[in-house]
Amino acid sequence: MGAVLRHRLGVASLVVLAAMVLLGVLGPLLAPQDPLVQDPSALLQGPSAAHLLGTDNLGRDVFSRLLAGSRLSLLAALEAVAVGLVLGTVPGLLSVYLGRVFEWVTLRVMDAFVTLPFLVFAVAMTALLGNGLTQAMFAVGILISPVFYRVTRAAAFPVAGSQYVEAARLTGAPAWFVLRRHVWPKVLPAVAVSAAGLLGSSLVIVSSLTFLGIGIQPPEPTWGGMLATDLEYLYQRPTAPFVPALLIILTVGACNGLADALRDVIGAPRGGRVRA
Amino acid sequence: MPDRTSPLLKVRDLAVSLGRGRARREILHGVDLTVRAGEIVGLIGETGSGKTTLARTVLGLNRVDRGTVRVESRPVHGLRGGALRAFRRAGAVQYVFQDPLQSLDPDLPLGRSVGEALEVRREPGIAERVADALRLVGLDPDLAGRLPGEVSGGQRQRAAIARRPVVRRAPAAAVRANRSARSTRRTRTSVLELLARLRDGNRVGQLFISHDLGSVAGVTDRVAVLYRGHVVETGPTAQVVSAPTHPYTRLLIGSAPTVDGGGLGRAERAALRAELVGKAAS
């Protein structure tokens, strides 16, 4: 991790992400006004001292709503990545160990997930589980799990057949010991790179879903939802969509930048090979 | 303390098949082998003769079709799951891998790999025992913190061997010393000498596995010659080397290059091969 801090793009990405997380965590404290309070006397106003970024079509303070929205959007993206991580990495590791039947079944299930379109599946899941960002992002998590599954398997496979794993097994080591000691350290770097990249993708998906009004209850602010409202009133406030769009672009860019930096720092995973 | 002549490892009529479905082949066809306490037995055979399969079966890595494997009179060929892990943890049989480049985790310091067996058994004083084991194989204990890629090939080889003496109780040990192009005959021989020193008095029996009779002849008490899944000849090393009875053994010995050119001529080797083919047919 220290090496990431010596990587220029990595530092820039971490700074942006840290700023976003701070906004998300401290948002309610920093927000000058309640993001849900409507003011009919001040609809669609431009920036002013009272409203730093103006007001929306219901007279709500845009700056306060962006701060509140950053928390929801980031949490939703994190949820999707966490769900995908667990649902992909665990079967990925087990597929290498539990024999052919488990391997065959999980491979087919993961292939099936790959064929499903994100938005349609998320919409179907919210119809099934109830409309909410948690449900929608759970669905997204399921659909990104094949990436983690593949990456984990690819990294774990050569290790599982290696002589040092065999040597460990010959000392009587149980499977969890071998997994923790020899396999996981080889899998982790690849998983970390994927997680950072997928965090960005998930944020795009959250924004797309909330832009379409899926998984979100109307007063709750999210970046995608605000972008949608701003577009409706483009004639009155032509510059308004820039701010949420910029936030989305910056954050996604930072996630991808972090993924690239991690990949550069880690290089090709060392697993299995050393200089002779 | 086992008696000098009591068998530590006793393999009887062992048959093992590998592969699945139509690709399944019987690799060992009824092999007998005994290793007694304090004895070093060489298992010699060409590539594909079944040496490695036999070693892996003794360690419980292959299933047995027929026959028995006994370690200190205890049948171990049917062990599975927890019983197999407990047997391995007890350390009655240990394996020293020939190729340290692959048998040491490249991302783990040498000391962690050497002490792994102790960690699995949750034993105390791992650091000191690892240092002792490293000293025993002629390595500086300070190397424990280095990665395998940061030390020389010879040091890696010694570290791989140190995995064995770190476990104190060690009656029988199976060793694979094989065709690896990396190890020259010189380093292979020094490794064998090192292993021979680790006999721990007369408690340990050792099985050396090699394709090269010459490199193990100097350190083994007895040799068994494995050919196409059969032990074709077994006896005291000197007797097998000086008066081989089976044509394959004669071919093996005669094919080795010698300084005075005393090996077999082309015609003699061809005759032995023909005899072998005749035996295989009958």
Side-chain angles (χ1 to χ4, degrees):
Chain A
M1 208 62 207
V4 176
L5 295 177
R6 287 190 292 278
H7 191 283
R8 247 196 251 160
L9 179 63
V11 173
S13 306
L14 280 176
V15 167
V16 171
L17 284 178
M20 292 300 166
V21 169
L22 267 181
L23 282 185
V25 173
L26 300 177
L29 296 174
L30 294 175
Q33 287 165 31
D34 186 330
L36 301 181
V37 163
Q38 304 178 6
D39 179 4
S41 65
L43 302 182
L44 296 169
Q45 288 187 343
S48 65
H51 301 288
L52 281 178
L53 293 172
T55 58
D56 69 1
N57 61 319
L58 295 172
R60 295 174 296 200
D61 183 54
V62 170
F63 183 58
S64 304
R65 285 180 67 73
L66 275 176
L67 288 178
S70 61
R71 163 181 282 193
L72 272 178
S73 303
L74 289 176
L75 274 181
L78 275 178
E79 180 200 338
V81 171
V83 169
L85 189 72
V86 173
L87 290 185
T89 308
V90 174
L93 281 177
L94 293 180
S95 74
V96 175
Y97 274 87
L98 286 188
R100 295 183 152 207
V101 176
F102 184 85
E103 185 182 7
W104 191 89
V105 171
T106 49
L107 270 171
R108 298 294 93 74
V109 171
M110 291 295 164
D111 285 350
F113 284 164
V114 171
T115 63
L116 294 171
F118 280 95
L119 292 180
V120 178
F121 185 69
V123 171
M125 284 294 274
T126 50
L128 200 70
L129 302 171
N131 192 16
L133 208 48
T134 315
Q135 288 90 326
M137 293 325 283
F138 186 78
V140 173
I142 291 177
L143 290 195
I144 61 174
S145 63
V147 177
F148 286 111
Y149 176 83
R150 293 274 177 191
V151 163
T152 305
R153 245 178 84 77
F157 212 80
V159 181
S162 70
Q163 279 194 8
Y164 52 87
V165 162
E166 198 157 85
R169 285 175 59 207
L170 287 176
T171 65
W176 63 263
F177 180 95
V178 175
L179 277 174
R180 200 194 53 190
R181 165 63 63 84
H182 297 290
V183 183
W184 184 242
K186 308 282 186 297
V187 171
L188 186 63
V191 168
V193 172
S194 308
L198 285 172
L199 193 63
S201 314
S202 301
L203 200 66
V204 171
I205 298 167
V206 184
S207 306
S208 314
L209 284 172
T210 51
F211 180 83
L212 296 169
I214 296 156
I216 189 79
Q217 306 297 335
E220 266 185 315
T222 58
W223 293 346
M226 293 178 68
L227 195 57
T229 333
D230 288 341
L231 285 177
E232 276 180 52
Y233 297 93
L234 198 58
Y235 185 71
Q236 287 87 345
R237 294 175 63 232
T239 53
F242 281 113
V243 185
L246 204 65
L247 280 178
I248 295 170
I249 291 169
L250 257 181
T251 319
V252 172
C255 290
N256 291 339
L258 181 63
D260 284 352
L262 280 174
R263 201 184 341 249
D264 287 352
V265 167
I266 294 161
R270 268 188 297 175
R273 222 156 269 279
V274 286
R275 277 165 290 119
Chain B
M1 182 119 179
D3 147 33
R4 168 91 165 121
T5 54
S6 70
L8 288 173
L9 173 69
K10 194 167 184 178
V11 175
R12 281 291 162 270
D13 191 30
L14 185 70
V16 174
S17 302
L18 296 179
R20 283 167 188 278
R22 253 193 272 167
R24 193 169 175 81
R25 296 273 182 281
E26 192 173 89
I27 306 294
L28 297 177
H29 324 280
V31 168
D32 293 324
L33 186 75
T34 303
V35 180
R36 295 187 181 81
E39 186 178 50
I40 299 182
V41 178
L43 182 65
I44 315 301
E46 62 190 2
T47 304
S49 60
K51 313 183 290 288
T52 307
T53 304
L54 179 54
R56 291 174 60 88
T57 308
V58 168
L59 296 158
L61 288 170
N62 292 326
R63 298 221 170 170
V64 170
D65 291 350
R66 188 181 76 232
T68 57
V69 178
R70 286 168 191 275
V71 173
E72 298 177 301
S73 310
R74 182 181 168 213
V76 298
H77 51 274
L79 294 179
R80 297 271 179 279
L84 182 58
R85 280 199 298 278
F87 165 67
R88 285 173 177 165
R89 267 200 303 279
V93 177
Q94 286 158 32
Y95 193 83
V96 179
F97 287 89
Q98 163 68 13
D99 185 354
L101 204 59
Q102 282 163 32
S103 62
L104 296 169
D105 189 331
D107 295 326
L108 273 190
L110 293 175
R112 296 287 296 277
S113 290
V114 171
E116 190 165 54
L118 300 177
E119 216 177 311
V120 168
R121 289 151 58 164
R122 297 168 192 277
E123 290 194 11
I126 294 179
E128 299 93 79
R129 287 171 65 181
V130 167
D132 287 346
L134 289 176
R135 258 182 238 115
L136 190 63
V137 298
L139 283 182
D140 183 348
D142 289 343
L143 291 180
R146 301 266 195 97
L147 294 177
E150 298 170 342
V151 300
S152 75
Q155 288 170 326
R156 270 201 297 269
Q157 185 111 46
R158 283 165 185 271
I161 294 168
R163 298 177 79 142
R164 193 176 78 58
V166 78
V167 179
R168 271 181 198 139
R169 177 184 173 279
V175 176
R176 179 161 71 185
N178 62 17
R179 57 208 170 307
S180 166
R182 257 182 236 104
S183 61
T184 60
R185 178 182 283 241
R186 195 189 135 97
T187 66
R188 204 158 52 210
T189 308
S190 72
V191 163
L192 292 176
E193 281 161 2
L194 180 57
L195 288 165
R197 271 206 286 128
L198 300 177
R199 277 201 224 201
D200 298 355
N202 281 333
R203 292 191 305 120
V204 182
Q206 299 192 40
L207 181 64
F208 280 2
I209 299 171
S210 178
H211 66 124
D212 180 7
L213 183 59
S215 71
V216 297
V219 287
T220 54
D221 303 315
R222 283 192 307 126
V223 291
V225 179
L226 197 62
Y227 176 66
R228 295 190 174 178
H230 295 280
V231 171
V232 292
E233 183 158 1
T234 176
T237 306
Q239 185 192 318
V240 172
V241 172
S242 61
T245 56
H246 193 271
Y248 176 69
T249 319
R250 295 212 299 273
L251 194 61
L252 206 60
I253 293 166
S255 302
T258 53
V259 179
D260 57 4
L264 294 177
R266 185 176 294 178
E268 290 165 299
R269 289 207 299 272
L272 284 170
R273 282 205 192 90
E275 197 179 335
L276 266 178
V277 172
K279 275 205 173 220
S282 66

